[in-house]
Amino acid sequence: MDPATDLFQKHRSRLYGLAYRMLGTPADAEDVLHDAWLRWHQQDQSALDDAEAWLVTVTTRLALDRLRRAKTEREHYTGPWLPEPLVAEEEQPELVLERSESLSLSFLALLERLSPEERASFLLNQVFDYSHAEAAAMLQISEDASRQRTHRARQRLREGRPRFTHAPETQQRLLQKLLEALHHPDLDNLQALFAEDIVHDADGGGLVSATLHPLFGAERIARLYLQIALHNQQAGAVHRLRWVNGAPALLTWVNAELSTVLWIETDGERISAIHALRNPGKLVRLKSVTNGPDDASLS
Protein backbone atom coordinates (compact mmCIF):
# COMPACT_ATOMS: atom_id res chain seq x y z
CA MET A 1 0.00 0.00 0.00
CA ASP A 2 1.42 3.37 -1.00
CA PRO A 3 1.85 6.02 1.74
CA ALA A 4 -1.07 8.19 0.52
CA THR A 5 -3.46 5.24 0.54
CA ASP A 6 -2.15 4.07 3.88
CA LEU A 7 -2.74 7.51 5.42
CA PHE A 8 -6.25 7.72 4.02
CA GLN A 9 -7.08 4.26 5.32
CA LYS A 10 -5.74 5.25 8.74
CA HIS A 11 -8.40 7.97 8.97
CA ARG A 12 -11.13 6.21 7.00
CA SER A 13 -13.15 5.06 10.00
CA ARG A 14 -13.33 8.59 11.41
CA LEU A 15 -14.22 10.07 8.03
CA TYR A 16 -16.92 7.47 7.41
CA GLY A 17 -18.35 7.96 10.89
CA LEU A 18 -18.59 11.70 10.29
CA ALA A 19 -20.16 11.37 6.83
CA TYR A 20 -22.68 8.77 8.02
CA ARG A 21 -23.76 10.88 10.99
CA MET A 22 -24.09 13.89 8.72
CA LEU A 23 -26.22 12.12 6.11
CA GLY A 24 -27.96 9.21 7.83
CA THR A 25 -27.46 6.82 4.90
CA PRO A 26 -24.47 4.51 4.32
CA ALA A 27 -24.53 4.88 0.53
CA ASP A 28 -24.31 8.66 0.73
CA ALA A 29 -21.49 8.39 3.26
CA GLU A 30 -19.61 6.04 0.93
CA ASP A 31 -20.09 8.45 -1.98
CA VAL A 32 -18.66 11.27 0.12
CA LEU A 33 -15.64 9.16 1.02
CA HIS A 34 -15.11 8.27 -2.62
CA ASP A 35 -15.10 11.96 -3.55
CA ALA A 36 -12.78 12.76 -0.64
CA TRP A 37 -10.46 9.97 -1.81
CA LEU A 38 -10.29 11.45 -5.31
CA ARG A 39 -9.51 14.91 -3.95
CA TRP A 40 -6.92 13.45 -1.63
CA HIS A 41 -5.02 11.95 -4.56
CA GLN A 42 -5.21 15.24 -6.45
CA GLN A 43 -3.79 17.13 -3.50
CA ASP A 44 -0.10 17.92 -3.04
CA GLN A 45 0.16 16.10 0.28
CA SER A 46 3.67 17.35 0.98
CA ALA A 47 2.20 20.85 1.34
CA LEU A 48 -0.15 19.83 4.15
CA ASP A 49 0.66 20.62 7.77
CA ASP A 50 -2.09 18.34 9.12
CA ALA A 51 -3.39 15.57 6.86
CA GLU A 52 -6.17 14.56 9.25
CA ALA A 53 -7.53 18.11 9.47
CA TRP A 54 -7.46 18.39 5.66
CA LEU A 55 -9.33 15.09 5.23
CA VAL A 56 -11.93 15.93 7.88
CA THR A 57 -12.42 19.38 6.34
CA VAL A 58 -12.97 18.00 2.84
CA THR A 59 -15.26 15.24 4.11
CA THR A 60 -17.31 17.69 6.16
CA ARG A 61 -17.76 20.13 3.28
CA LEU A 62 -18.68 17.36 0.84
CA ALA A 63 -21.19 15.92 3.31
CA LEU A 64 -22.58 19.38 4.03
CA ASP A 65 -23.19 20.06 0.33
CA ARG A 66 -24.85 16.66 -0.09
CA LEU A 67 -27.00 17.15 3.04
CA ARG A 68 -28.28 20.51 1.79
CA ARG A 69 -29.49 18.79 -1.38
CA ALA A 70 -30.90 15.89 0.60
CA LYS A 71 -32.86 18.21 2.91
CA THR A 72 -34.70 19.59 -0.11
CA GLU A 73 -35.43 16.09 -1.39
CA ARG A 74 -36.64 14.93 2.04
CA GLU A 75 -39.19 17.75 2.10
CA HIS A 76 -40.97 15.89 -0.72
CA TYR A 77 -40.47 12.41 0.77
CA THR A 78 -43.62 10.33 1.21
CA GLY A 79 -44.27 10.11 4.95
CA PRO A 80 -41.66 10.40 7.71
CA TRP A 81 -37.99 10.01 6.78
CA LEU A 82 -35.94 7.71 9.01
CA PRO A 83 -32.17 7.03 8.85
CA GLU A 84 -30.88 3.90 7.19
CA PRO A 85 -29.05 1.40 9.43
CA LEU A 86 -25.48 0.34 8.85
CA VAL A 87 -25.49 -3.40 9.46
CA ALA A 88 -26.63 -5.83 12.08
CA GLU A 89 -24.07 -7.15 14.52
CA GLU A 90 -21.86 -8.72 11.87
CA GLU A 91 -20.58 -5.14 12.09
CA GLN A 92 -18.30 -3.11 9.92
CA PRO A 93 -15.06 -1.81 11.47
CA GLU A 94 -16.56 1.69 11.26
CA LEU A 95 -19.30 0.66 13.66
CA VAL A 96 -16.94 -1.03 16.11
CA LEU A 97 -14.37 1.74 16.20
CA GLU A 98 -16.81 4.63 16.33
CA ARG A 99 -19.46 3.00 18.53
CA SER A 100 -21.30 5.46 20.72
CA GLU A 101 -24.74 6.79 21.43
CA SER A 102 -24.30 9.10 18.45
CA LEU A 103 -24.49 6.11 16.07
CA SER A 104 -27.87 4.92 17.32
CA LEU A 105 -30.77 5.24 14.92
CA SER A 106 -32.72 7.26 17.48
CA PHE A 107 -29.93 9.81 17.70
CA LEU A 108 -29.56 10.00 13.92
CA ALA A 109 -33.30 10.63 13.64
CA LEU A 110 -32.98 13.35 16.28
CA LEU A 111 -30.24 15.05 14.25
CA GLU A 112 -32.82 15.62 11.50
CA ARG A 113 -34.15 18.46 13.67
CA LEU A 114 -31.01 20.45 12.85
CA SER A 115 -30.13 22.52 9.83
CA PRO A 116 -27.19 21.15 7.81
CA GLU A 117 -24.94 23.88 9.19
CA GLU A 118 -25.95 23.21 12.80
CA ARG A 119 -25.49 19.50 12.30
CA ALA A 120 -21.96 19.93 10.99
CA SER A 121 -20.90 22.26 13.80
CA PHE A 122 -22.50 20.06 16.46
CA LEU A 123 -20.92 16.83 15.20
CA LEU A 124 -17.45 18.31 14.82
CA ASN A 125 -17.48 19.87 18.29
CA GLN A 126 -19.65 17.58 20.40
CA VAL A 127 -19.07 14.16 18.83
CA PHE A 128 -15.62 14.38 17.23
CA ASP A 129 -14.12 16.70 19.87
CA TYR A 130 -12.76 19.42 17.62
CA SER A 131 -12.49 22.82 19.27
CA HIS A 132 -14.69 25.65 18.06
CA ALA A 133 -11.60 27.20 16.47
CA GLU A 134 -10.83 23.96 14.60
CA ALA A 135 -14.47 23.45 13.57
CA ALA A 136 -14.73 27.07 12.42
CA ALA A 137 -11.67 26.68 10.21
CA MET A 138 -13.10 23.49 8.68
CA LEU A 139 -16.44 25.17 7.97
CA GLN A 140 -14.93 28.52 6.92
CA ILE A 141 -16.90 30.47 9.50
CA SER A 142 -15.92 32.52 12.54
CA GLU A 143 -15.30 30.89 15.90
CA ASP A 144 -18.29 32.78 17.33
CA ALA A 145 -20.48 31.44 14.54
CA SER A 146 -19.33 27.92 15.36
CA ARG A 147 -20.25 28.42 19.02
CA GLN A 148 -23.64 29.83 18.12
CA ARG A 149 -24.48 27.00 15.73
CA THR A 150 -23.47 24.38 18.28
CA HIS A 151 -25.45 26.14 21.01
CA ARG A 152 -28.57 26.26 18.81
CA ALA A 153 -28.09 22.61 17.92
CA ARG A 154 -27.89 21.59 21.58
CA GLN A 155 -31.08 23.53 22.31
CA ARG A 156 -32.94 21.88 19.44
CA LEU A 157 -31.76 18.43 20.50
CA ARG A 158 -32.78 19.04 24.11
CA GLU A 159 -36.28 19.88 22.89
CA GLY A 160 -36.54 16.42 21.39
CA ARG A 161 -34.46 14.60 23.96
CA PRO A 162 -37.01 13.94 26.74
CA ARG A 163 -38.33 11.19 24.49
CA PHE A 164 -34.85 9.91 23.76
CA THR A 165 -32.96 7.46 25.91
CA HIS A 166 -30.10 5.18 25.09
CA ALA A 167 -30.28 2.36 27.58
CA PRO A 168 -29.79 -0.85 25.59
CA GLU A 169 -30.67 -3.17 28.46
CA THR A 170 -33.97 -1.34 29.02
CA GLN A 171 -34.71 -1.22 25.30
CA GLN A 172 -33.94 -4.93 25.05
CA ARG A 173 -36.30 -5.78 27.92
CA LEU A 174 -39.17 -3.76 26.47
CA LEU A 175 -38.59 -5.03 22.94
CA GLN A 176 -38.76 -8.57 24.30
CA LYS A 177 -42.10 -7.75 25.94
CA LEU A 178 -43.32 -6.22 22.69
CA LEU A 179 -42.23 -9.33 20.84
CA GLU A 180 -44.19 -11.51 23.28
CA ALA A 181 -47.23 -9.26 22.87
CA LEU A 182 -47.02 -9.58 19.09
CA HIS A 183 -46.98 -13.37 19.44
CA HIS A 184 -50.06 -13.27 21.70
CA PRO A 185 -52.01 -10.23 20.51
CA ASP A 186 -54.10 -8.53 23.18
CA LEU A 187 -55.09 -4.88 23.23
CA ASP A 188 -54.69 -4.40 26.99
CA ASN A 189 -51.27 -6.10 27.07
CA LEU A 190 -50.03 -3.93 24.20
CA GLN A 191 -51.39 -0.73 25.70
CA ALA A 192 -49.73 -1.50 29.04
CA LEU A 193 -46.34 -1.44 27.30
CA PHE A 194 -46.82 2.09 25.98
CA ALA A 195 -46.45 5.47 27.68
CA GLU A 196 -49.63 7.53 27.44
CA ASP A 197 -47.93 10.07 25.16
CA ILE A 198 -46.13 7.52 22.99
CA VAL A 199 -45.40 8.55 19.41
CA HIS A 200 -45.10 6.23 16.43
CA ASP A 201 -43.63 6.95 13.01
CA ALA A 202 -42.98 4.71 10.04
CA ASP A 203 -40.90 5.10 6.89
CA GLY A 204 -42.31 3.24 3.91
CA GLY A 205 -40.98 5.68 1.37
CA GLY A 206 -44.28 5.47 -0.51
CA LEU A 207 -43.32 1.95 -1.59
CA VAL A 208 -45.02 -0.20 1.06
CA SER A 209 -47.83 0.29 3.54
CA ALA A 210 -46.89 2.58 6.41
CA THR A 211 -48.50 5.36 8.41
CA LEU A 212 -47.97 8.63 6.56
CA HIS A 213 -47.94 10.83 9.66
CA PRO A 214 -46.78 10.35 13.25
CA LEU A 215 -49.39 8.79 15.52
CA PHE A 216 -49.80 9.66 19.20
CA GLY A 217 -51.35 7.99 22.23
CA ALA A 218 -51.13 4.58 23.87
CA GLU A 219 -54.61 3.38 22.93
CA ARG A 220 -54.35 4.39 19.29
CA ILE A 221 -50.94 2.81 18.82
CA ALA A 222 -51.97 -0.32 20.73
CA ARG A 223 -54.87 -0.73 18.27
CA LEU A 224 -52.47 -0.27 15.37
CA TYR A 225 -50.09 -2.92 16.67
CA LEU A 226 -52.95 -5.30 17.44
CA GLN A 227 -53.87 -5.15 13.75
CA ILE A 228 -50.22 -5.50 12.74
CA ALA A 229 -49.83 -8.53 14.99
CA LEU A 230 -52.95 -10.24 13.62
CA HIS A 231 -51.88 -9.50 10.05
CA ASN A 232 -48.37 -10.81 10.69
CA GLN A 233 -49.72 -14.00 12.20
CA GLN A 234 -51.80 -14.63 9.08
CA ALA A 235 -48.78 -13.87 6.90
CA GLY A 236 -46.53 -16.22 8.87
CA ALA A 237 -44.17 -13.41 9.86
CA VAL A 238 -41.05 -14.21 11.85
CA HIS A 239 -39.64 -11.73 14.40
CA ARG A 240 -36.13 -11.64 15.77
CA LEU A 241 -34.20 -9.27 18.01
CA ARG A 242 -30.91 -8.03 16.57
CA TRP A 243 -28.28 -5.42 17.36
CA VAL A 244 -28.48 -2.60 14.80
CA ASN A 245 -26.19 0.45 15.05
CA GLY A 246 -25.17 -0.65 18.52
CA ALA A 247 -28.68 -0.92 20.00
CA PRO A 248 -31.44 -3.56 20.08
CA ALA A 249 -33.98 -3.62 17.27
CA LEU A 250 -36.83 -5.89 16.25
CA LEU A 251 -36.58 -7.27 12.72
CA THR A 252 -39.55 -8.84 10.94
CA TRP A 253 -39.45 -11.20 7.98
CA VAL A 254 -42.46 -12.07 5.80
CA ASN A 255 -42.04 -14.85 3.26
CA ALA A 256 -38.31 -14.88 4.11
CA GLU A 257 -38.04 -11.21 3.09
CA LEU A 258 -36.97 -8.59 5.62
CA SER A 259 -39.96 -6.25 5.87
CA THR A 260 -39.44 -4.09 8.96
CA VAL A 261 -36.73 -2.86 11.29
CA LEU A 262 -38.26 -1.42 14.45
CA TRP A 263 -36.51 0.38 17.28
CA ILE A 264 -37.83 2.14 20.32
CA GLU A 265 -37.21 4.85 22.85
CA THR A 266 -38.18 4.45 26.46
CA ASP A 267 -38.87 6.51 29.56
CA GLY A 268 -37.27 3.70 31.55
CA GLU A 269 -40.50 1.87 32.30
CA ARG A 270 -42.54 1.92 29.11
CA ILE A 271 -42.07 2.48 25.41
CA SER A 272 -42.24 6.20 24.66
CA ALA A 273 -41.58 6.08 20.90
CA ILE A 274 -41.61 3.49 18.13
CA HIS A 275 -39.79 3.95 14.83
CA ALA A 276 -40.59 1.45 12.07
CA LEU A 277 -38.38 1.39 8.99
CA ARG A 278 -40.18 -0.36 6.13
CA ASN A 279 -38.76 1.28 3.00
CA PRO A 280 -37.37 -1.71 1.06
CA GLY A 281 -34.50 0.35 -0.34
CA LYS A 282 -33.26 1.07 3.17
CA LEU A 283 -33.42 -2.60 4.19
CA VAL A 284 -31.20 -3.95 1.40
CA ARG A 285 -28.00 -3.55 3.40
CA LEU A 286 -29.37 -5.48 6.36
CA LYS A 287 -30.76 -8.19 4.09
CA SER A 288 -27.32 -8.66 2.58
CA VAL A 289 -25.60 -9.30 5.93
CA THR A 290 -28.20 -11.43 7.68
CA ASN A 291 -29.10 -14.95 6.73
CA GLY A 292 -32.73 -14.33 7.50
CA PRO A 293 -34.82 -15.14 10.54
CA ASP A 294 -32.82 -18.29 11.32
CA ASP A 295 -29.79 -16.22 12.37
CA ALA A 296 -29.00 -16.32 16.06
CA SER A 297 -31.24 -13.84 17.83
CA LEU A 298 -30.24 -11.29 20.44
CA SER A 299 -29.20 -12.88 23.71
Side-chain angles (χ1 to χ4, degrees):
M1 189 179 296
D2 65 88
T5 301
D6 184 58
L7 190 55
F8 186 91
Q9 289 299 116
K10 176 183 175 182
H11 297 294
R12 187 184 188 282
S13 176
R14 190 171 188 80
L15 302 177
Y16 185 91
L18 173 59
Y20 175 63
R21 288 173 176 87
M22 279 287 293
L23 296 161
T25 60
D28 283 341
E30 289 164 2
D31 286 346
V32 164
L33 252 65
H34 176 71
D35 291 344
W37 163 262
L38 294 177
R39 296 193 183 196
W40 172 243
H41 277 274
Q42 294 167 356
Q43 170 67 28
D44 178 6
Q45 294 153 24
S46 65
L48 299 177
D49 294 327
D50 187 334
E52 177 186 339
W54 188 93
L55 287 167
V56 171
T57 297
V58 169
T59 299
T60 301
R61 292 178 186 174
L62 288 168
L64 189 54
D65 288 343
R66 185 174 286 259
L67 182 58
R68 287 171 179 144
R69 295 194 298 272
K71 281 286 190 181
T72 301
E73 295 169 1
R74 290 171 194 177
E75 290 175 0
H76 303 286
Y77 193 80
T78 302
W81 186 94
L82 292 174
E84 179 183 341
L86 284 171
V87 296
E89 195 75 351
E90 280 86 346
E91 293 193 336
Q92 295 175 337
E94 291 85 356
L95 185 55
V96 175
L97 294 176
E98 293 288 355
R99 176 185 299 286
S100 72
E101 174 186 347
S102 66
L103 262 180
S104 74
L105 293 170
S106 289
F107 189 78
L108 292 175
L110 194 60
L111 289 176
E112 287 296 304
R113 300 172 70 96
L114 307 180
S115 71
E117 293 76 18
E118 290 168 345
R119 190 164 178 164
S121 293
F122 176 84
L123 288 173
L124 288 172
N125 180 250
Q126 297 291 301
V127 175
F128 289 89
D129 297 322
Y130 291 105
S131 69
H132 286 295
E134 291 169 322
M138 292 172 182
L139 296 170
Q140 293 184 310
I141 59 177
S142 70
E143 188 172 342
D144 282 345
S146 176
R147 291 182 186 278
Q148 290 169 5
R149 287 182 183 178
T150 302
H151 177 70
R152 286 198 304 268
R154 286 200 302 264
Q155 286 184 317
R156 289 179 185 270
L157 295 180
R158 276 198 295 269
E159 291 170 3
R161 208 172 179 85
R163 310 204 59 83
F164 173 77
T165 58
H166 186 74
E169 65 279 0
T170 303
Q171 292 172 330
Q172 179 178 341
R173 173 175 58 82
L174 288 169
L175 276 173
Q176 184 64 52
K177 288 185 176 182
L178 178 59
L179 178 56
E180 293 167 1
L182 292 175
H183 284 152
H184 306 284
D186 177 87
L187 184 63
D188 291 337
N189 288 342
L190 281 164
Q191 189 168 338
L193 290 175
F194 302 150
E196 284 302 314
D197 60 348
I198 184 175
V199 60
H200 169 277
D201 57 16
D203 178 349
L207 302 173
V208 297
S209 61
T211 53
L212 294 178
H213 305 282
L215 302 180
F216 300 89
E219 182 178 358
R220 187 179 188 186
I221 294 171
R223 292 186 183 279
L224 170 66
Y225 272 85
L226 178 62
Q227 294 303 311
I228 290 173
L230 294 173
H231 176 270
N232 283 344
Q233 283 189 344
Q234 293 177 348
V238 177
H239 307 286
R240 292 289 184 269
L241 292 177
R242 297 283 191 270
W243 288 100
V244 177
N245 281 42
L250 180 62
L251 277 62
T252 299
W253 285 262
V254 177
N255 297 324
E257 286 292 323
L258 182 61
S259 67
T260 307
V261 175
L262 180 151
W263 65 94
I264 63 170
E265 299 166 30
T266 168
D267 60 13
E269 296 297 329
R270 293 178 296 177
I271 297 172
S272 59
I274 297 176
H275 307 283
L277 180 61
R278 291 183 41 77
N279 184 335
K282 295 183 179 182
L283 300 178
V284 171
R285 198 170 285 262
L286 286 184
K287 287 168 60 176
S288 70
V289 297
T290 59
N291 297 321
D294 293 331
D295 270 359
S297 59
L298 188 71
S299 59

